[in-house]
Amino acid sequence: SVETLRSGGMLLAALPDVAAQTSEQFIELLPGDTLVLSTDGILEARGTDGVSMYGRDRLRASIRANMNVPVQQMFQAILRDVHAFMGRRAQDDDITLILIQRDAEAATEAPAQETSPTFDFLAS
């Protein structure tokens, strides 16, 4: 399934004298879970018509369509979908995508002592 976490906040480093507020949200990534983070450059990416936006629904659909592939393939597939949606407009805005996936195989091993989970991290 795809869950949406609360998001939003001040653009980092955009203005010199802004008192940014922080909030904490705790989630547990179970073995095999992937956390997908993106900037508004993806959500607000304009389509080839120059009007429609990529949006959260399309991002969720792209995530769902690629949930059962390795994280590297999921990462590339989402970026390909965003760029295909944008067409020639692909350089209009910042596009940042971060995927963090907890290693699924670490849970099947019986560690002799407690260890920290292993994560794959991809960013563009």
Side-chain angles (χ1 to χ4, degrees):
S1 66
V2 176
E3 291 181 47
T4 302
L5 303 175
R6 185 182 63 214
S7 63
M10 176 56 70
L11 179 64
L12 295 176
L15 303 171
D17 297 322
V18 173
Q21 294 180 343
T22 61
S23 66
E24 293 181 355
Q25 227 181 114
F26 295 96
I27 59 165
E28 180 179 0
L29 291 181
L30 300 175
D33 282 355
T34 304
L35 177 64
V36 178
L37 305 168
S38 70
T39 59
D40 65 341
I42 289 179
L43 300 178
E44 297 174 0
R46 299 286 176 173
T48 55
D49 63 5
V51 178
S52 57
M53 288 195 275
Y54 191 81
R56 292 181 194 280
D57 290 340
R58 188 173 177 110
L59 179 57
R60 276 190 217 100
S62 186
I63 293 167
R64 275 190 197 96
N66 294 286
M67 288 175 79
N68 297 315
V69 300
V71 68
Q72 295 86 352
Q73 289 178 12
M74 180 184 208
F75 179 81
Q76 292 299 322
I78 293 169
L79 283 179
R80 271 194 310 274
D81 190 51
V82 172
H83 286 125
F85 178 79
M86 295 174 76
R88 287 190 225 175
R89 307 173 74 85
Q91 300 304 318
D92 280 358
D93 197 357
D94 66 334
I95 292 180
T96 302
L97 180 66
I98 299 172
L99 273 62
I100 302 170
Q101 185 177 67
R102 183 161 177 197
D103 187 359
E105 297 191 20
T108 59
E109 301 167 4
Q113 60 189 27
E114 280 199 38
T115 59
S116 298
T118 304
F119 295 92
D120 288 321
F121 175 81
L122 297 167
S124 170

